[in-house]
């Protein structure tokens, strides 16, 4: 009777630990520190693909790409994207991740064009950017943003109009 609750608690803890490890690894990748990213991701416990394994695999693919192993990284991206339907994520989240993978595969390919297998997975879909989970956008941003680009300067105050 109680073992079911303990198993659920253990699974929840594993998912949280994996999520934190991925967040730390992606932050290290953003800082161009591949060694730290590998170390952070190694702390992630093994989880089922549908629970959090997809996120760990996606971070692993990003580490591969960042370390110069483009072929392995792109293949890992294709594998993750082809299995996203096994997860319980919403349609917008899945499509956002597929688009993210397409962008990264395009950046990593020699000709600037993602492999056909990747493009087929991403073709003809739409998603509402506002419906995508904010944590996905934080860990896996579609484009890099500099600190200066985040907050544009405020507009100048209006010039007072004087009547003569």
């Amino acid at each position: 009777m109680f073992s079911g609750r303990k198993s659920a608690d253990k699974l929840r803890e594993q998912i949280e630990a994996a999520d934190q490890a991925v967040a730390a690894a992606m932050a290290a990748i953003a800082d161009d520190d591949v060694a730290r990213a590998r170390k952070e991701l190694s702390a992630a416990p093994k989880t089922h693909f549908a629970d959090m394994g997809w996120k760990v695999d996606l971070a692993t693919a990003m580490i591969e790409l960042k370390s110069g192993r483009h072929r392995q990284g792109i293949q890992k991206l294709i594998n993750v994207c082809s299995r996203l339907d096994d997860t319980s994520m919403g349609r917008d989240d899945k499509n956002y991740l597929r688009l993210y993978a397409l962008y990264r595969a395009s950046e990593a390919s020699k000709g600037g064009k993602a492999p056909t297998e990747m493009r087929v997975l991403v073709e003809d879909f739409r998603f509402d950017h506002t419906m995508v989970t904010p944590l996905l956008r934080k860990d896996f941003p579609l484009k890099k943003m500099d600190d200066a680009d985040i907050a544009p300067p405020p507009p100048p105050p209006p010039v007072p109009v004087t009547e003569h």
Side-chain angles (χ1 to χ4, degrees):
M1 181 166 139
F2 294 106
S3 64
R5 185 169 50 188
K6 286 182 183 179
S7 297
D9 289 343
K10 183 178 178 183
L11 178 62
R12 190 175 312 109
E13 289 171 8
Q14 288 176 335
I15 289 172
E16 289 173 8
D19 192 36
Q20 290 171 356
V22 168
M26 293 306 293
I29 288 172
D31 294 338
D32 291 328
D33 190 348
V34 176
R36 191 176 99 219
R38 283 188 197 282
K39 182 181 177 207
E40 295 288 355
L41 197 59
S42 69
K46 292 281 186 189
T47 57
H48 190 270
F49 184 84
D51 293 332
M52 191 55 67
W54 64 269
K55 201 169 190 180
V56 174
D57 288 351
L58 190 56
T60 302
M62 293 308 303
I63 290 171
E64 295 293 324
L65 292 176
K66 201 65 153 175
S67 65
R69 296 184 193 167
H70 298 292
R71 186 173 298 163
Q72 293 93 333
I74 290 172
Q75 190 58 48
K76 192 75 154 173
L77 288 174
I78 292 169
N79 291 342
V80 169
C81 288
S82 64
R83 293 187 61 200
L84 283 176
D85 288 331
D86 296 344
T87 68
S88 62
M89 285 188 289
R91 183 181 55 90
D92 289 334
D93 289 343
K94 291 175 192 176
N95 288 335
Y96 176 87
L97 289 173
R98 287 183 178 119
L99 186 62
Y100 173 82
L102 179 72
Y103 284 2
R104 300 298 84 84
S106 297
E107 291 171 353
S109 66
K110 291 179 182 176
K113 190 174 183 182
T116 305
E117 301 130 320
M118 178 63 76
R119 291 193 317 261
V120 166
L121 291 170
V122 181
E123 277 188 70
D124 298 326
F125 74 86
R126 294 181 182 191
F127 69 95
D128 184 352
H129 190 70
T130 60
M131 299 297 288
V132 175
T133 306
L135 287 175
L136 285 181
R137 289 185 283 169
K138 178 185 163 285
D139 288 343
F140 304 104
L142 289 181
K143 60 183 179 177
K144 292 183 180 180
M145 307 244 332
D146 297 329
D147 291 336
D149 291 342
I150 292 175
V159 178
V161 178
T162 57
E163 293 183 28
H164 291 282

